[in-house]
């Protein structure tokens, strides 16, 4: 069993920023976590820390890359399989964010407005020479996305049930199934965090 070391949220944020800052050129970080963990808030803290160090850093919210309702709701509004496989436009994130920033030095901040179910009508932004993008949202790993640093905030079923809005409890099984498939496949994150209590995170300690 891997060992986990408790950290303060500030030290965790700084350690992720350290990993990104050590890389040159455009850098893409994944913060993969269920909505209950508020991955966007964590990503914003990392981006703020990087900006204080002089790096250009921005956050991309996976919920701004959802697929149209006609696709994600094809099998109903509370279908766990659809949430896991059809809800988010991972291919669009790859095309408009990851490959765009590395190959064309530009990136799209938002693609789709989840509330209105319409195009966000955003224009691509020019990337800085040392641009860092922090992509935050559920189930980012195991999608063939080429991130430079991967952070996974994990939660137990109990924590998910406590922190997920009642109307979104149907997503919990999808998140846990995705985590189980990744674990079985041996998929590994650069930074794996137990995040049942966000004010008291614990990070996996490697023996190598």
């Amino acid at each position: 069993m891997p060992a986990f070391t408790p950290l303060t949220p500030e030290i965790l944020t700084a350690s992720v920023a350290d990993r990104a800052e050590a890389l040159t050129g455009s850098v893409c970080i994944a913060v993969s976590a269920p909505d209950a963990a508020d991955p966007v808030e964590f990503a914003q803290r990392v981006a703020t820390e990087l900006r204080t160090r002089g790096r250009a850093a921005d956050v991309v919210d996976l919920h701004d890359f959802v697929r149209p309702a006609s696709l994600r709701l094809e099998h109903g509004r509370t279908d766990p399989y659809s949430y896991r496989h059809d809800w988010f436009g991972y291919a669009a994130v790859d095309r408009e964010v990851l490959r765009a920033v590395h190959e064309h030095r530009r990136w799209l901040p938002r693609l789709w407005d989840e509330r209105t179910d319409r195009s966000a009508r955003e224009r691509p932004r020019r990337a800085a020479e040392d641009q860092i993008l922090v992509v935050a949202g559920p189930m980012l790993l195991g999608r063939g996305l080429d991130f430079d640093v991967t952070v996974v905030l994990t939660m137990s079923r109990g924590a998910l049930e406590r922190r997920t809005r009642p109307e979104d409890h149907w997503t919990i099984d999808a998140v846990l199934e995705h985590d189980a498939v990744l674990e079985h496949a041996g998929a590994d994150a650069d930074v794996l965090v137990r995040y049942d209590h966000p004010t008291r995170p614990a990070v996996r300690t490697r023996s190598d």
Side-chain angles (χ1 to χ4, degrees), residues 20-122:
E21 189 182 26
L23 302 175
T24 58
S26 299
V27 176
C28 294
I29 306 172
V31 177
S32 182
D35 290 336
D38 201 352
V40 172
E41 188 274 337
F42 180 79
Q44 289 169 340
R45 286 194 278 122
V46 172
T48 298
E49 174 67 20
L50 286 163
R51 287 193 289 267
T52 66
R53 304 181 185 192
R55 291 292 292 265
D58 292 276
V59 174
V60 175
D61 184 348
L62 186 60
H63 278 276
D64 290 328
F65 284 80
V66 294
R67 303 177 76 203
S70 60
L71 298 174
R72 68 180 189 270
L73 304 180
E74 183 177 1
H75 301 291
R77 293 183 175 274
T78 59
D79 182 66
Y81 182 91
S82 294
Y83 185 72
R84 184 175 162 201
H85 296 283
D86 301 326
W87 206 268
F88 299 103
Y90 298 103
V93 171
D94 184 37
R95 180 182 67 250
E96 303 292 348
V97 180
L98 305 184
R99 286 194 285 118
V101 76
H102 285 306
E103 298 173 9
H104 307 295
R105 306 209 58 78
R106 60 175 174 77
W107 56 284
L108 188 68
R110 299 176 68 227
L111 178 65
W112 201 255
D113 189 313
E114 188 172 15
R115 183 181 62 82
T116 64
D117 196 38
R118 294 182 179 179
S119 169
R121 299 188 181 277
E122 289 275 0

Side-chain angles (χ1 to χ4, degrees), residues 105-152:
R105 306 209 58 78
R106 60 175 174 77
W107 56 284
L108 188 68
R110 299 176 68 227
L111 178 65
W112 201 255
D113 189 313
E114 188 172 15
R115 183 181 62 82
T116 64
D117 196 38
R118 294 182 179 179
S119 169
R121 299 188 181 277
E122 289 275 0
R123 292 181 178 273
R125 297 181 185 176
R126 291 295 302 173
E129 283 294 321
D130 59 351
Q131 182 73 53
I132 297 177
L133 296 177
V134 191
V135 182
M139 303 175 289
L140 282 168
L141 269 64
R143 308 290 182 179
L145 301 176
D146 188 17
F147 288 104
D148 302 292
V149 179
T150 55
V151 181
V152 173

